[in-house]
Amino acid sequence: WHNALSEVPISKDATSIIIGQEFLDCMPVRHFVKTEKGWCEKLVDEAPADSPKHFRFVLSKGPTPAAKICLRKELIPDLPDKPKDWEGIEVSPEAWWAAQEIAKRVHATQGAALFIDYGNDGHATDTLQALKDHKAVDVLSRPGQCDLTAHVDFSSVKRASLDWCPHLAAVVPMEAGGSAASVMPSADELKAMMASLQELEVLYAKLKSQGKDMSMERELLHKLEQVKKKLRNSAPPLTSDSSAPTKAASAKASAAANALFAHGPVSQCDFLHGLGVRERAQALFDAAKDDAAKESIMKQYERLTSPAEMGSLFKVLAITSNKIPTGTMPGFAMPGARDTRS
C-alpha cells in the first residue's frame, strides 16, 4: 500500500486505468461569500457556551489569503466577473491536485481515467453535507464520525486535468491581442500556493492576536505578492514576434502525439445509455423468472438512469491519452460529450 498516488511507481510498459467512483466528492472544500468587503471565507469557530453544538460557521471579517489565491479565473472557469452580494462559491483545491496527479499518470502511461460522481459542470455555492447511518445530519454536529461530501465541480476538474503540463499549455489558442489563454498551475505549483496560504493564515492569526492591524496588513500583502509572483513566473511565455504562428503550429504538431483528451462530463443517464444499459435491463427483464425479479430490475434501472434519481445528479468524466480520440469512447460518443486540449 502507498500513502499517496504520487508514491506509486510509474511504468511506461504498464498502462494505467484509473476509476474514481465517488472519489472527488470526499475532497475538502472551501466556501466563500461575496460581501461589501469582498470575498469572505466561511470559517469554523467555537460555538457560544450556551449552544448545544461545539462549533459554528462564521464569516471572515474580510477577504482571506485563500480567497485571493483560489478565486482566480484560471482556476475557476465560470467565476462570476461581477458577483452579487451574498453570492456564494465552493471550491476544492485538493480535487484539482488529485485530478492533475491522475492526469499526469494517464499521460505517462498512455492510459485512461474515469470519474463518476455527483456534481455540476461548473462551480456550486454550498453543497457540503454530512451523512451518518445513511441520514443527513448537521455538518458540525459530530466531527470525525460522519461522512462529509460535497458536489464536484467537473469543469474545474477537467481544466486541471488538461492543463497540468507545459506542452499542452503551449497549444492553447492565442487571443486576438496576442496573449495566451490562462493556464491552471501544475499540481506542484498549486501545492506550493496552498503551503504559502497556510503560512499566511498562521501569520494572520498570530498578528491578529497581537492586535497589530497595520503590521498584519503589510505582512499579508507582502506574502501575497510573493505568491502572485510565483504564479506569474509559472505562466507560459507570451510571444508577439512574426515567428509566433510558426512556433505555435510546431508546438501543436509536437504535442498532438502526447495530447490528453477530455470526454464529457455527461450525465450518468447518458453515459449508461451510451453503454447499452437499456438493452441490458431489457435482457435481464425478459429472463427474469417472476414478477418480483422483474420489478427489482426496473427499480434498479430507474434508480441509475432517472433524472429524479441518480441519472442527472451524477456526472461522468473521462481523461484519456490520444489513443482514444474524442467522440469514440463508449458512453461519450454523442453530441456534447467531446472536448480536447489540442
Side-chain angles (χ1 to χ4, degrees), residues 10-12 14-17 104-112 323:
I10 295 178
S11 173
K12 292 184 178 180
T15 298
S16 293
I17 305 296
K104 184 176 181 180
R105 185 170 295 269
V106 167
H107 180 263
T109 65
Q110 293 288 283
K323 290 185 177 181

Side-chain angles (χ1 to χ4, degrees), residues 26-63:
C26 68
M27 297 295 173
V29 295
R30 288 180 178 268
H31 291 151
F32 302 96
V33 177
K34 178 64 171 62
T35 71
E36 65 277 4
K37 296 180 180 179
W39 285 105
C40 295
E41 186 172 6
K42 185 185 289 187
L43 306 172
V44 177
D45 190 17
E46 287 184 325
D50 58 350
S51 172
K53 303 176 182 178
H54 296 289
F55 301 101
R56 63 174 179 171
F57 284 118
V58 297
L59 280 182
S60 61
K61 295 182 179 180

